[in-house]
Amino acid sequence: MNTHTTNDSSSVFVPDGELARQRQYEQKVRELIGGRYPEGPPLAYVHSYGCQQNVSDGEKLKGQLAQMGYGFCDSPEGARLVLYNTCAVRENAEDRVFGNVGALKKLKRQHPDLVIGLCGCMTQQEQIAQKIKDSYPYVDLVFGTHALHRLPELLYQTLSGDKRVFSVDNMDGTIAEGLPVQREGSFKANLPVMYGCNNFCTYCIVPYVRGRERSRTPEAVLAEAEDLVAKGYKEITLLGQNVNSYGKTLPDGVDFAELLKRINDIPGDFVIRFMTSHPKDCTRRLIDTIAGCEKVCHHIHLPVQSGSNRILKAMNRHYTREDYLELVSYAREKMPDVVLTSDIIVGFPGEQEEDFLQTLELIKAVRYHGLFTFLYSRRTGTKAAEMDDPVSDEEKGRWFRQMLAVQQDIGIELFRQMEGKTFRVLVEGESRSAPGRVTGRNYGNILVDFPGTGDLIGQFVSVKITGSKPGVLLGERADETCYNPE
Ligand code: 5AD
Ligand code: SF4
């Protein structure tokens, strides 16, 4: 595992020659599978686990496969290639992958030409790659996050040889620009602005599996954003493990606030979201920028992780609960309508009841619209994995349930306060609640369910909120238009 923290911006880009070589391999695979499957394009089942960054990587895997002549299907049955793009953030994410890979054994017996591939964060860990080598002999192809752009070459080796192919070398990480992308949606798009992470929060595997922090150039990000707007995309989500440190590895001084401004200036009817912000790098200037850019949603996902200063220090988070609460008040002062969401870890090694109670107090003080809550999961290779962890799973489970109950009440109250307001909602799909209804999301990424028909999907409509249920606002069409209400 690699832990040094410098990165020369010029060396992170994959050279054009290497990218061109991969395009040649795409042609070679196309010819090879054309001969092997004369009846028509073979199908690939590509599934991405985990975060939006991984989903975004999955879109590049699919883009490359499409260039190679693959079609796509929605389940492993009927596929000639199954590719699981894995997540390592918690143990249960890994367990799910192993369970799903185990289920492929039978399919492989029925179809010996089936290629089974595993890639992504989980496979970037040496001990996992070794486990697959030893215990899952029917997995043909394994590659880590750093080899995503080499899929054509690696797949060609797998298809043309009789050996299993493993490419999980550890390195600082690169940026491969211009890869083909097959996007999952036609009106909402992910736009990665940076990759990797330098923070080394002590619980987190990400810096080890995704390498050092590196930013795409503002020109590359802007060109992609302009292209998305021209293609009619209505929502662009800027992605990075820590978007607030965007630009630190670049020579020209464009930071995340400046990047937001430049994207906001692209003409067109679209909205901008971003994920994820680290509180230590979330500046007042950034909050001012969010408040001042009309296309940027007034929603900040600002993971606090814990409300105890002692635990925040042990987590290596570089802020205190006081710093965090000050940031929240500033954001609320500038944007009274701001929707705040967060990630919380319960049961970090050494966390005591009094630490947990401070987290509860912080949740009550901030009043989040939504929380993503996690029980601590030990990740081999991280600092926290070496720490004493004396509290029982039962006790941690009790804390966890207590936290969910507190948050549920807050969520219900905050949703009630939205009743009577009118939001601009981007319609996503037909509602599962009843026929003749659709769902979409407002500026806070909150689900809104209202009467409507499928032709509204992909459009902005105004919806007046008339009621709410846990996790969803109910409403009806309205005339006024209001995206980020004050
Ligand atoms: N255990 C539990 N939760 C974790 N997260 C990251 N690492 C761990 C871990 N080892 C959570 C954090 C992070 C979110 C994406 O996942 O809350 O913000
Ligand atoms: Fe995303 Fe982290 Fe999971 Fe990798 S380990 S897929 S970066 S959440």
Side-chain angles (χ1 to χ4, degrees):
M1 287 196 182
N2 218 329
T3 52
H4 63 269
T5 51
T6 51
N7 214 341
D8 168 8
S9 69
S10 60
S11 66
V12 302
F13 293 97
V14 177
D16 289 346
E18 169 60 16
L19 293 170
R21 214 169 63 84
Q22 295 304 324
R23 304 289 78 77
Q24 286 168 6
Y25 275 110
E26 280 174 358
Q27 278 315 310
K28 286 186 174 186
V29 173
R30 186 179 267 278
E31 284 158 26
L32 199 151
I33 63 175
R36 198 171 289 180
Y37 301 105
E39 67 280 8
L43 300 180
Y45 174 62
V46 181
H47 184 73
S48 293
Y49 299 77
C51 65
Q52 285 305 104
Q53 184 68 60
N54 227 31
V55 171
S56 169
D57 286 352
E59 294 177 333
K60 289 182 187 140
L61 293 167
K62 284 177 99 170
Q64 295 178 87
L65 288 170
Q67 294 292 317
M68 291 183 246
Y70 280 91
F72 297 100
C73 55
D74 296 331
S75 75
E77 292 76 30
R80 299 276 70 89
L81 167 68
V82 174
L83 187 55
Y84 286 145
N85 182 27
T86 63
C87 170
V89 78
R90 284 173 293 276
E91 195 176 3
N92 56 9
E94 295 189 343
D95 291 346
R96 212 169 320 136
V97 171
F98 278 127
N100 290 349
V101 173
L104 294 177
K105 192 173 177 180
K106 205 168 132 209
L107 206 61
K108 177 87 172 186
R109 222 180 290 133
Q110 289 163 352
H111 303 283
D113 64 323
L114 171 66
V115 173
I116 300 178
L118 288 181
C119 62
C121 292
M122 193 173 148
T123 52
Q124 192 66 54
Q125 302 168 94
E126 280 156 32
Q127 80 279 11
I128 298 281
Q130 195 59 46
K131 179 170 168 181
I132 298 164
K133 226 177 222 170
D134 297 342
S135 312
Y136 294 82
Y138 51 93
V139 172
D140 308 286
L141 167 64
V142 177
F143 58 100
T145 55
H146 302 309
L148 184 141
H149 65 279
R150 293 183 55 225
L151 171 63
E153 178 182 1
L154 299 172
L155 186 56
Y156 181 75
Q157 286 171 2
T158 311
L159 289 167
S160 60
D162 51 10
K163 285 206 196 87
R164 305 167 76 197
V165 174
F166 280 72
S167 177
V168 289
D169 292 347
N170 216 329
M171 49 199 224
D172 278 354
T174 53
I175 296 180
E177 286 295 354
L179 291 184
V181 184
Q182 169 126 345
R183 296 189 186 274
E184 295 293 340
S186 55
F187 53 90
K188 287 166 68 152
N190 293 316
L191 201 175
V193 301
M194 57 179 303
Y195 303 96
C197 181
N198 282 353
N199 290 321
F200 291 97
C201 300
T202 52
Y203 50 81
C204 190
I205 195 71
V206 171
Y208 302 97
V209 293
R210 285 197 171 264
R212 297 291 52 76
E213 183 178 297
R214 52 211 186 269
S215 296
R216 295 179 70 192
T217 64
E219 293 76 25
V221 174
L222 274 170
E224 189 169 342
E226 280 164 5
D227 181 54
L228 288 168
V229 174
K231 287 183 172 136
Y233 281 87
K234 296 278 187 282
E235 180 183 296
I236 297 177
T237 303
L238 308 178
L239 296 179
Q241 255 70 41
N242 176 13
V243 288
N244 300 353
S245 63
Y246 172 82
K248 283 189 184 168
T249 57
L250 294 172
D252 56 3
V254 174
D255 64 2
F256 188 59
E258 177 60 27
L259 188 73
L260 275 181
K261 278 189 208 151
R262 292 192 189 178
I263 300 173
N264 189 68
D265 285 343
I266 298 173
D269 187 17
F270 67 100
V271 294
I272 306 165
R273 301 187 182 281
F274 55 93
M275 262 194 323
T276 288
S277 296
H278 193 306
K280 84 174 162 62
D281 301 308
C282 184
T283 57
R284 290 184 168 218
R285 182 173 122 78
L286 178 62
I287 291 174
D288 294 344
T289 306
I290 300 166
C293 288
E294 76 284 357
K295 289 175 186 143
V296 178
C297 295
H298 289 184
H299 170 205
I300 313 181
H301 181 62
L302 197 62
V304 68
Q305 314 295 1
S306 168
S308 153
N309 283 338
R310 197 177 70 83
I311 296 300
L312 286 171
K313 191 147 200 285
M315 288 177 163
N316 194 31
R317 292 288 289 176
H318 295 284
Y319 56 84
T320 62
R321 69 180 275 136
E322 292 76 21
D323 298 333
Y324 186 91
L325 288 170
E326 210 180 289
L327 206 57
V328 165
S329 352
Y330 187 74
R332 287 245 160 86
E333 185 190 311
K334 293 284 156 173
M335 296 174 278
D337 63 319
V338 73
V339 163
L340 294 169
T341 52
S342 197
D343 295 344
I344 309 254
I345 297 177
V346 171
F348 182 83
E351 182 171 340
Q352 298 295 316
E353 178 138 33
E354 67 247 35
D355 298 304
F356 169 69
L357 291 175
Q358 285 179 33
T359 301
L360 267 196
E361 287 313 309
L362 181 131
I363 293 171
K364 289 180 191 163
V366 175
R367 295 173 66 74
Y368 294 104
H369 279 79
L371 274 188
F372 297 87
T373 51
F374 309 104
L375 273 169
Y376 169 73
S377 169
R378 192 178 164 276
R379 306 284 63 209
T380 305
T382 61
K383 277 205 174 144
E386 310 301 319
M387 296 177 188
D388 274 351
D389 191 3
V391 174
S392 68
D393 289 350
E394 290 70 37
E395 181 74 348
K396 291 183 181 184
R398 200 174 57 77
W399 294 348
F400 193 81
R401 288 189 295 278
Q402 206 178 335
M403 175 175 64
L404 290 187
V406 165
Q407 176 56 32
Q408 196 179 23
D409 289 348
I410 296 170
I412 288 171
E413 266 177 55
L414 292 180
F415 275 38
R416 284 217 180 106
Q417 285 170 17
M418 288 187 155
E419 290 175 21
K421 293 192 173 161
T422 298
F423 298 123
R424 198 157 181 244
V425 169
L426 179 57
V427 184
E428 284 182 350
E430 305 204 359
S431 170
R432 272 184 253 153
S433 67
R437 294 180 74 86
V438 289
T439 55
R441 289 183 187 266
N442 76 352
Y443 73 98
N445 212 25
I446 298 172
L447 200 66
V448 184
D449 186 311
F450 60 99
T453 45
D455 54 310
L456 296 177
I457 295 170
Q459 291 184 40
F460 288 114
V461 295
S462 294
V463 179
K464 182 169 181 177
I465 305 306
T466 53
S468 60
K469 289 194 291 196
V472 49
L473 296 170
L474 305 172
E476 55 195 33
R477 294 284 295 276
D479 297 330
E480 308 152 59
T481 294
C482 178
Y483 198 77
N484 280 324
E486 265 344 300

